[in-house]
Amino acid sequence: MRRHRCNQVVRSDSETESESDAETMRCLSCKEEYAARDAGTCKECYEEAGETEEELKREIEDLKAKVAFLRFWSPLDHAHRGSPTSPGPVFPDVVLVAYDDGSPGLPPVPVPAHKAVLVNRSPVFKAMLENEMEESRSGTIKISDVSYDALRAFVNYLYTAEAWLDEQMACDLLVLAEKYHVKHLKGFCEKFLVSKLNWDNSLLTYAFAHQHGAKLVLDAALSLITDNMDKLTKKEEYMELVEKDPRLVVEIYEAYLSKQVNTAVHKDT
């Protein structure tokens, strides 16, 4: 199907010449003249644009239907914190346990899942569960330094590709996504963190992104910092970073100097 962009028109030479009694226009897509009464585009291109719009709508609906068909029902749709071992009709065959649950004195709460889903979503889980490792034999995967809520959200994402994020949850899920090589989730969290980036959180975000290899967040935070170098040393987080990880401070200044050099070169050319 021929596709055009007909949102602009130009007047033909006949406007200034009285060769025709009726004023004509020229379509920028097909370059053909048409009567001005058609107001904006030739009839053929207008109809073709309408067909294209309908075709795109059908494709979108088809994609939505495929996503709905392929979506797994998460065992978390049936298991709640008060009854974590009530799987309903989904029959999980493995549980994940958070060992930073924030509930002192209480046993860790398991998060039910299916081995087939974990193996399909993460190469780390795949290696863990397809070999004769402790997790494969026991059916329990212990994950340290993670809250129950973050682990639950992580497992739910593996089934649904959906997650509710705030800045803390985005950081927690990004760490899990990096650890278990879930690239789609990591990219999702990175985009969210970039959308929340501002001067106040720029240094902490930069340090976090550097630690976890979040390049999209790293580049955005570094760009914001180097654009505001006159305010950098006044930040409380700056002195903390100097003491804890001076290497990152050096990298910030190197990036700033590189930006200055590039700006000077562009001005000269």
Short mmCIF file of all heavy atoms in Angstrom, two decimals, residues 189-245:
data_model
loop_
_atom_site.label_atom_id
_atom_site.label_comp_id
_atom_site.label_asym_id
_atom_site.label_seq_id
_atom_site.Cartn_x
_atom_site.Cartn_y
_atom_site.Cartn_z
N CYS A 189 12.84 0.02 34.44
CA CYS A 189 13.18 0.77 35.65
C CYS A 189 14.09 1.96 35.32
O CYS A 189 13.96 3.04 35.91
CB CYS A 189 13.87 -0.14 36.66
SG CYS A 189 12.80 -1.44 37.33
N GLU A 190 15.01 1.77 34.38
CA GLU A 190 15.90 2.87 33.99
C GLU A 190 15.11 4.05 33.44
O GLU A 190 15.35 5.21 33.79
CB GLU A 190 16.91 2.39 32.96
CG GLU A 190 18.03 1.56 33.54
CD GLU A 190 19.22 1.46 32.60
OE1 GLU A 190 19.92 2.47 32.42
OE2 GLU A 190 19.43 0.38 32.04
N LYS A 191 14.16 3.78 32.57
CA LYS A 191 13.36 4.85 32.00
C LYS A 191 12.58 5.60 33.07
O LYS A 191 12.44 6.83 33.03
CB LYS A 191 12.40 4.29 30.94
CG LYS A 191 13.11 3.80 29.69
CD LYS A 191 12.12 3.14 28.72
CE LYS A 191 12.85 2.57 27.51
NZ LYS A 191 11.92 1.87 26.59
N PHE A 192 12.07 4.86 34.05
CA PHE A 192 11.34 5.51 35.14
C PHE A 192 12.26 6.41 35.95
O PHE A 192 11.91 7.55 36.28
CB PHE A 192 10.71 4.45 36.04
CG PHE A 192 9.96 5.02 37.22
CD1 PHE A 192 8.64 5.42 37.08
CD2 PHE A 192 10.58 5.19 38.45
CE1 PHE A 192 7.94 5.96 38.15
CE2 PHE A 192 9.90 5.73 39.53
CZ PHE A 192 8.58 6.13 39.37
N LEU A 193 13.45 5.92 36.28
CA LEU A 193 14.39 6.70 37.08
C LEU A 193 14.86 7.95 36.34
O LEU A 193 15.04 9.01 36.94
CB LEU A 193 15.58 5.84 37.49
CG LEU A 193 15.27 4.74 38.51
CD1 LEU A 193 16.48 3.84 38.72
CD2 LEU A 193 14.83 5.34 39.84
N VAL A 194 15.04 7.84 35.04
CA VAL A 194 15.40 9.02 34.25
C VAL A 194 14.28 10.06 34.30
O VAL A 194 14.52 11.27 34.40
CB VAL A 194 15.71 8.63 32.79
CG1 VAL A 194 15.82 9.87 31.90
CG2 VAL A 194 17.00 7.82 32.72
N SER A 195 13.03 9.60 34.26
CA SER A 195 11.90 10.52 34.31
C SER A 195 11.81 11.24 35.65
O SER A 195 11.21 12.31 35.75
CB SER A 195 10.59 9.77 34.04
OG SER A 195 10.20 8.97 35.15
N LYS A 196 12.39 10.66 36.70
CA LYS A 196 12.35 11.25 38.04
C LYS A 196 13.64 12.00 38.39
O LYS A 196 13.78 12.51 39.50
CB LYS A 196 12.10 10.17 39.09
CG LYS A 196 10.76 9.45 38.94
CD LYS A 196 9.60 10.41 39.12
CE LYS A 196 8.26 9.70 39.00
NZ LYS A 196 7.12 10.63 39.15
N LEU A 197 14.55 12.05 37.46
CA LEU A 197 15.85 12.67 37.72
C LEU A 197 15.73 14.18 37.87
O LEU A 197 15.06 14.84 37.09
CB LEU A 197 16.81 12.33 36.57
CG LEU A 197 18.25 12.79 36.70
CD1 LEU A 197 18.93 12.08 37.86
CD2 LEU A 197 19.00 12.52 35.39
N ASN A 198 16.38 14.74 38.89
CA ASN A 198 16.44 16.19 39.08
C ASN A 198 17.75 16.53 39.77
O ASN A 198 18.52 15.65 40.15
CB ASN A 198 15.23 16.69 39.88
CG ASN A 198 15.09 16.00 41.23
OD1 ASN A 198 16.01 16.02 42.05
ND2 ASN A 198 13.94 15.36 41.46
N TRP A 199 17.99 17.82 39.95
CA TRP A 199 19.26 18.23 40.52
C TRP A 199 19.45 17.70 41.94
O TRP A 199 20.55 17.30 42.33
CB TRP A 199 19.38 19.75 40.50
CG TRP A 199 20.61 20.26 41.20
CD1 TRP A 199 20.68 21.03 42.30
CD2 TRP A 199 21.97 20.00 40.82
NE1 TRP A 199 21.98 21.27 42.65
CE2 TRP A 199 22.80 20.64 41.75
CE3 TRP A 199 22.56 19.26 39.78
CZ2 TRP A 199 24.19 20.59 41.68
CZ3 TRP A 199 23.96 19.20 39.71
CH2 TRP A 199 24.74 19.86 40.65
N ASP A 200 18.38 17.67 42.71
CA ASP A 200 18.48 17.23 44.10
C ASP A 200 18.93 15.78 44.23
O ASP A 200 19.68 15.44 45.15
CB ASP A 200 17.14 17.41 44.82
CG ASP A 200 16.80 18.88 45.05
OD1 ASP A 200 17.74 19.70 45.09
OD2 ASP A 200 15.60 19.19 45.15
N ASN A 201 18.47 14.91 43.33
CA ASN A 201 18.82 13.49 43.46
C ASN A 201 19.89 13.04 42.46
O ASN A 201 20.19 11.86 42.35
CB ASN A 201 17.58 12.61 43.32
CG ASN A 201 16.94 12.69 41.94
OD1 ASN A 201 17.58 13.05 40.95
ND2 ASN A 201 15.67 12.33 41.85
N SER A 202 20.46 13.99 41.71
CA SER A 202 21.36 13.64 40.61
C SER A 202 22.61 12.88 41.05
O SER A 202 23.00 11.89 40.42
CB SER A 202 21.76 14.91 39.83
OG SER A 202 22.38 15.85 40.71
N LEU A 203 23.25 13.31 42.14
CA LEU A 203 24.48 12.64 42.58
C LEU A 203 24.21 11.23 43.11
O LEU A 203 24.94 10.28 42.78
CB LEU A 203 25.18 13.47 43.65
CG LEU A 203 26.22 14.49 43.15
CD1 LEU A 203 26.81 15.25 44.33
CD2 LEU A 203 27.31 13.81 42.35
N LEU A 204 23.18 11.10 43.92
CA LEU A 204 22.85 9.77 44.44
C LEU A 204 22.43 8.83 43.31
O LEU A 204 22.79 7.65 43.30
CB LEU A 204 21.73 9.87 45.48
CG LEU A 204 22.10 10.57 46.80
CD1 LEU A 204 20.88 10.67 47.71
CD2 LEU A 204 23.24 9.83 47.50
N THR A 205 21.68 9.37 42.36
CA THR A 205 21.24 8.56 41.22
C THR A 205 22.44 8.15 40.37
O THR A 205 22.52 7.01 39.89
CB THR A 205 20.24 9.34 40.36
OG1 THR A 205 19.09 9.69 41.17
CG2 THR A 205 19.77 8.52 39.17
N TYR A 206 23.38 9.08 40.20
CA TYR A 206 24.58 8.78 39.42
C TYR A 206 25.38 7.66 40.08
O TYR A 206 25.82 6.71 39.41
CB TYR A 206 25.45 10.03 39.29
CG TYR A 206 26.76 9.78 38.60
CD1 TYR A 206 26.81 9.52 37.24
CD2 TYR A 206 27.96 9.79 39.31
CE1 TYR A 206 28.02 9.27 36.59
CE2 TYR A 206 29.17 9.54 38.68
CZ TYR A 206 29.19 9.28 37.33
OH TYR A 206 30.39 9.03 36.70
N ALA A 207 25.56 7.75 41.40
CA ALA A 207 26.32 6.72 42.11
C ALA A 207 25.62 5.36 42.02
O ALA A 207 26.26 4.32 41.82
CB ALA A 207 26.51 7.13 43.56
N PHE A 208 24.31 5.38 42.17
CA PHE A 208 23.54 4.13 42.08
C PHE A 208 23.65 3.52 40.68
O PHE A 208 23.88 2.32 40.53
CB PHE A 208 22.07 4.42 42.40
CG PHE A 208 21.15 3.25 42.16
CD1 PHE A 208 21.03 2.24 43.10
CD2 PHE A 208 20.40 3.17 41.00
CE1 PHE A 208 20.19 1.15 42.87
CE2 PHE A 208 19.56 2.11 40.76
CZ PHE A 208 19.47 1.08 41.70
N ALA A 209 23.48 4.35 39.66
CA ALA A 209 23.56 3.86 38.28
C ALA A 209 24.94 3.30 37.97
O ALA A 209 25.07 2.30 37.26
CB ALA A 209 23.20 4.99 37.32
N HIS A 210 25.96 3.95 38.48
CA HIS A 210 27.33 3.48 38.27
C HIS A 210 27.54 2.11 38.90
O HIS A 210 28.15 1.21 38.31
CB HIS A 210 28.31 4.49 38.87
CG HIS A 210 29.71 4.36 38.33
ND1 HIS A 210 30.56 3.35 38.73
CD2 HIS A 210 30.39 5.11 37.42
CE1 HIS A 210 31.72 3.49 38.10
NE2 HIS A 210 31.64 4.54 37.30
N GLN A 211 27.00 1.92 40.08
CA GLN A 211 27.16 0.66 40.80
C GLN A 211 26.47 -0.50 40.10
O GLN A 211 26.96 -1.64 40.14
CB GLN A 211 26.61 0.81 42.22
CG GLN A 211 26.74 -0.44 43.08
CD GLN A 211 26.16 -0.25 44.47
OE1 GLN A 211 25.66 0.82 44.80
NE2 GLN A 211 26.20 -1.29 45.27
N HIS A 212 25.36 -0.20 39.43
CA HIS A 212 24.56 -1.28 38.85
C HIS A 212 24.53 -1.28 37.32
O HIS A 212 23.68 -1.93 36.72
CB HIS A 212 23.14 -1.21 39.41
CG HIS A 212 23.08 -1.42 40.89
ND1 HIS A 212 23.26 -2.66 41.46
CD2 HIS A 212 22.90 -0.55 41.92
CE1 HIS A 212 23.18 -2.55 42.78
NE2 HIS A 212 22.97 -1.30 43.08
N GLY A 213 25.46 -0.58 36.72
CA GLY A 213 25.58 -0.63 35.27
C GLY A 213 24.36 -0.17 34.51
O GLY A 213 24.04 -0.71 33.45
N ALA A 214 23.67 0.84 35.05
CA ALA A 214 22.46 1.37 34.41
C ALA A 214 22.87 2.54 33.51
O ALA A 214 22.82 3.70 33.91
CB ALA A 214 21.45 1.82 35.45
N LYS A 215 23.28 2.24 32.29
CA LYS A 215 23.90 3.24 31.43
C LYS A 215 22.96 4.40 31.07
O LYS A 215 23.38 5.56 31.01
CB LYS A 215 24.42 2.60 30.15
CG LYS A 215 25.27 3.53 29.30
CD LYS A 215 25.86 2.83 28.11
CE LYS A 215 26.84 3.74 27.36
NZ LYS A 215 26.33 5.06 27.05
N LEU A 216 21.71 4.08 30.82
CA LEU A 216 20.76 5.14 30.46
C LEU A 216 20.64 6.16 31.59
O LEU A 216 20.66 7.37 31.37
CB LEU A 216 19.40 4.52 30.16
CG LEU A 216 18.29 5.48 29.70
CD1 LEU A 216 18.63 6.05 28.34
CD2 LEU A 216 16.94 4.77 29.65
N VAL A 217 20.53 5.67 32.82
CA VAL A 217 20.42 6.55 33.99
C VAL A 217 21.76 7.26 34.23
O VAL A 217 21.79 8.46 34.54
CB VAL A 217 20.03 5.75 35.24
CG1 VAL A 217 19.87 6.67 36.45
CG2 VAL A 217 18.74 4.98 35.00
N LEU A 218 22.83 6.54 34.07
CA LEU A 218 24.17 7.09 34.29
C LEU A 218 24.42 8.29 33.37
O LEU A 218 24.85 9.36 33.82
CB LEU A 218 25.22 6.01 34.03
CG LEU A 218 26.68 6.38 34.31
CD1 LEU A 218 26.93 6.39 35.81
CD2 LEU A 218 27.62 5.39 33.64
N ASP A 219 24.14 8.12 32.09
CA ASP A 219 24.38 9.20 31.13
C ASP A 219 23.51 10.42 31.41
O ASP A 219 23.96 11.56 31.32
CB ASP A 219 24.13 8.69 29.70
CG ASP A 219 25.16 7.68 29.25
OD1 ASP A 219 26.22 7.58 29.91
OD2 ASP A 219 24.92 6.97 28.25
N ALA A 220 22.24 10.17 31.75
CA ALA A 220 21.32 11.28 32.03
C ALA A 220 21.76 12.04 33.28
O ALA A 220 21.76 13.28 33.30
CB ALA A 220 19.90 10.75 32.20
N ALA A 221 22.13 11.32 34.33
CA ALA A 221 22.56 11.97 35.58
C ALA A 221 23.87 12.72 35.37
O ALA A 221 24.03 13.86 35.85
CB ALA A 221 22.73 10.92 36.67
N LEU A 222 24.79 12.12 34.65
CA LEU A 222 26.08 12.77 34.40
C LEU A 222 25.91 14.04 33.59
O LEU A 222 26.56 15.06 33.84
CB LEU A 222 27.02 11.80 33.68
CG LEU A 222 28.47 12.25 33.49
CD1 LEU A 222 29.11 12.56 34.84
CD2 LEU A 222 29.27 11.19 32.76
N SER A 223 25.03 14.01 32.61
CA SER A 223 24.77 15.20 31.79
C SER A 223 24.19 16.33 32.65
O SER A 223 24.59 17.49 32.52
CB SER A 223 23.79 14.85 30.67
OG SER A 223 23.48 15.99 29.90
N LEU A 224 23.27 15.99 33.54
CA LEU A 224 22.67 16.99 34.42
C LEU A 224 23.71 17.58 35.37
O LEU A 224 23.75 18.80 35.61
CB LEU A 224 21.53 16.36 35.22
CG LEU A 224 20.80 17.26 36.22
CD1 LEU A 224 20.20 18.48 35.52
CD2 LEU A 224 19.70 16.48 36.95
N ILE A 225 24.58 16.73 35.89
CA ILE A 225 25.61 17.20 36.83
C ILE A 225 26.60 18.13 36.14
O ILE A 225 26.94 19.20 36.65
CB ILE A 225 26.34 15.99 37.46
CG1 ILE A 225 25.38 15.22 38.37
CG2 ILE A 225 27.57 16.45 38.25
CD1 ILE A 225 25.92 13.87 38.81
N THR A 226 27.08 17.72 34.97
CA THR A 226 28.08 18.53 34.27
C THR A 226 27.50 19.84 33.74
O THR A 226 28.25 20.77 33.46
CB THR A 226 28.72 17.74 33.12
OG1 THR A 226 27.69 17.23 32.25
CG2 THR A 226 29.54 16.58 33.65
N ASP A 227 26.19 19.91 33.61
CA ASP A 227 25.55 21.17 33.22
C ASP A 227 25.40 22.13 34.39
O ASP A 227 25.03 23.30 34.20
CB ASP A 227 24.16 20.89 32.62
CG ASP A 227 24.23 20.35 31.21
OD1 ASP A 227 25.30 20.47 30.58
OD2 ASP A 227 23.23 19.78 30.74
N ASN A 228 25.67 21.63 35.60
CA ASN A 228 25.50 22.45 36.81
C ASN A 228 26.73 22.37 37.71
O ASN A 228 26.61 22.32 38.94
CB ASN A 228 24.26 22.00 37.58
CG ASN A 228 22.97 22.24 36.82
OD1 ASN A 228 22.38 23.31 36.89
ND2 ASN A 228 22.51 21.22 36.10
N MET A 229 27.91 22.37 37.10
CA MET A 229 29.13 22.19 37.87
C MET A 229 29.36 23.32 38.88
O MET A 229 30.01 23.10 39.91
CB MET A 229 30.32 22.08 36.93
CG MET A 229 30.36 20.79 36.15
SD MET A 229 30.62 19.32 37.18
CE MET A 229 32.36 19.45 37.54
N ASP A 230 28.84 24.49 38.61
CA ASP A 230 29.04 25.61 39.53
C ASP A 230 28.35 25.37 40.87
O ASP A 230 28.71 25.99 41.89
CB ASP A 230 28.53 26.91 38.91
CG ASP A 230 27.06 26.82 38.51
OD1 ASP A 230 26.67 25.78 37.97
OD2 ASP A 230 26.32 27.80 38.74
N LYS A 231 27.38 24.45 40.90
CA LYS A 231 26.65 24.17 42.13
C LYS A 231 27.07 22.85 42.78
O LYS A 231 26.60 22.51 43.86
CB LYS A 231 25.14 24.12 41.85
CG LYS A 231 24.56 25.42 41.30
CD LYS A 231 23.04 25.33 41.15
CE LYS A 231 22.64 24.43 40.01
NZ LYS A 231 21.17 24.41 39.79
N LEU A 232 27.97 22.12 42.12
CA LEU A 232 28.27 20.75 42.55
C LEU A 232 28.86 20.69 43.95
O LEU A 232 28.41 19.92 44.80
CB LEU A 232 29.23 20.09 41.55
CG LEU A 232 29.67 18.68 41.89
CD1 LEU A 232 28.48 17.73 41.95
CD2 LEU A 232 30.70 18.18 40.87
N THR A 233 29.90 21.49 44.22
CA THR A 233 30.61 21.39 45.50
C THR A 233 29.77 21.87 46.69
O THR A 233 30.15 21.65 47.83
CB THR A 233 31.92 22.19 45.45
OG1 THR A 233 31.62 23.56 45.11
CG2 THR A 233 32.86 21.61 44.40
N LYS A 234 28.65 22.52 46.40
CA LYS A 234 27.78 23.00 47.48
C LYS A 234 26.82 21.92 47.97
O LYS A 234 26.18 22.09 49.01
CB LYS A 234 26.98 24.21 46.99
CG LYS A 234 27.86 25.38 46.54
CD LYS A 234 27.02 26.49 45.93
CE LYS A 234 27.91 27.59 45.37
NZ LYS A 234 27.12 28.66 44.69
N LYS A 235 26.75 20.83 47.24
CA LYS A 235 25.83 19.76 47.63
C LYS A 235 26.42 18.92 48.76
O LYS A 235 27.60 18.57 48.74
CB LYS A 235 25.52 18.85 46.44
CG LYS A 235 24.65 19.49 45.38
CD LYS A 235 24.41 18.54 44.22
CE LYS A 235 23.55 17.36 44.60
NZ LYS A 235 22.17 17.73 44.92
N GLU A 236 25.60 18.58 49.73
CA GLU A 236 26.04 17.75 50.84
C GLU A 236 26.48 16.38 50.34
O GLU A 236 27.46 15.80 50.82
CB GLU A 236 24.90 17.60 51.85
CG GLU A 236 25.26 16.77 53.06
CD GLU A 236 24.10 16.66 54.04
OE1 GLU A 236 23.17 17.49 53.97
OE2 GLU A 236 24.12 15.72 54.86
N GLU A 237 25.77 15.86 49.34
CA GLU A 237 26.09 14.54 48.80
C GLU A 237 27.47 14.53 48.11
O GLU A 237 28.09 13.47 47.99
CB GLU A 237 25.03 14.10 47.79
CG GLU A 237 23.65 13.89 48.38
CD GLU A 237 22.85 15.18 48.43
OE1 GLU A 237 23.40 16.24 48.10
OE2 GLU A 237 21.67 15.10 48.81
N TYR A 238 27.91 15.70 47.68
CA TYR A 238 29.22 15.78 47.00
C TYR A 238 30.34 15.38 47.96
O TYR A 238 31.22 14.57 47.61
CB TYR A 238 29.44 17.18 46.47
CG TYR A 238 30.83 17.42 45.92
CD1 TYR A 238 31.20 16.93 44.67
CD2 TYR A 238 31.80 18.10 46.67
CE1 TYR A 238 32.47 17.13 44.17
CE2 TYR A 238 33.07 18.30 46.18
CZ TYR A 238 33.41 17.82 44.94
OH TYR A 238 34.68 18.02 44.44
N MET A 239 30.35 15.95 49.16
CA MET A 239 31.39 15.62 50.14
C MET A 239 31.32 14.15 50.55
O MET A 239 32.35 13.51 50.76
CB MET A 239 31.25 16.52 51.36
CG MET A 239 31.53 18.00 51.08
SD MET A 239 33.10 18.27 50.19
CE MET A 239 34.28 17.54 51.33
N GLU A 240 30.11 13.62 50.65
CA GLU A 240 29.96 12.21 50.98
C GLU A 240 30.56 11.33 49.89
O GLU A 240 31.22 10.32 50.16
CB GLU A 240 28.49 11.86 51.17
CG GLU A 240 27.84 12.53 52.38
CD GLU A 240 26.36 12.23 52.50
OE1 GLU A 240 25.85 11.48 51.64
OE2 GLU A 240 25.73 12.73 53.44
N LEU A 241 30.35 11.74 48.64
CA LEU A 241 30.89 10.98 47.52
C LEU A 241 32.41 11.08 47.47
O LEU A 241 33.09 10.10 47.14
CB LEU A 241 30.28 11.50 46.21
CG LEU A 241 30.43 10.60 44.98
CD1 LEU A 241 29.74 9.27 45.22
CD2 LEU A 241 29.85 11.27 43.74
N VAL A 242 32.95 12.25 47.80
CA VAL A 242 34.40 12.42 47.84
C VAL A 242 35.03 11.46 48.83
O VAL A 242 36.08 10.86 48.58
CB VAL A 242 34.76 13.88 48.21
CG1 VAL A 242 36.26 14.01 48.52
CG2 VAL A 242 34.38 14.83 47.08
N GLU A 243 34.37 11.27 49.97
CA GLU A 243 34.91 10.39 51.01
C GLU A 243 34.70 8.92 50.68
O GLU A 243 35.58 8.09 50.90
CB GLU A 243 34.24 10.71 52.35
CG GLU A 243 34.58 12.10 52.88
CD GLU A 243 33.86 12.41 54.19
OE1 GLU A 243 33.17 11.49 54.71
OE2 GLU A 243 33.98 13.54 54.68
N LYS A 244 33.51 8.58 50.15
CA LYS A 244 33.18 7.17 49.94
C LYS A 244 33.73 6.62 48.62
O LYS A 244 34.16 5.47 48.55
CB LYS A 244 31.67 6.98 49.99
CG LYS A 244 31.06 7.23 51.36
CD LYS A 244 29.55 7.02 51.33
CE LYS A 244 28.93 7.23 52.69
NZ LYS A 244 27.45 7.06 52.66
N ASP A 245 33.65 7.40 47.57
CA ASP A 245 34.07 6.90 46.25
C ASP A 245 34.63 8.04 45.41
O ASP A 245 33.98 8.53 44.48
CB ASP A 245 32.88 6.25 45.53
CG ASP A 245 33.33 5.32 44.41
OD1 ASP A 245 34.50 5.43 43.98
OD2 ASP A 245 32.53 4.49 43.98
#
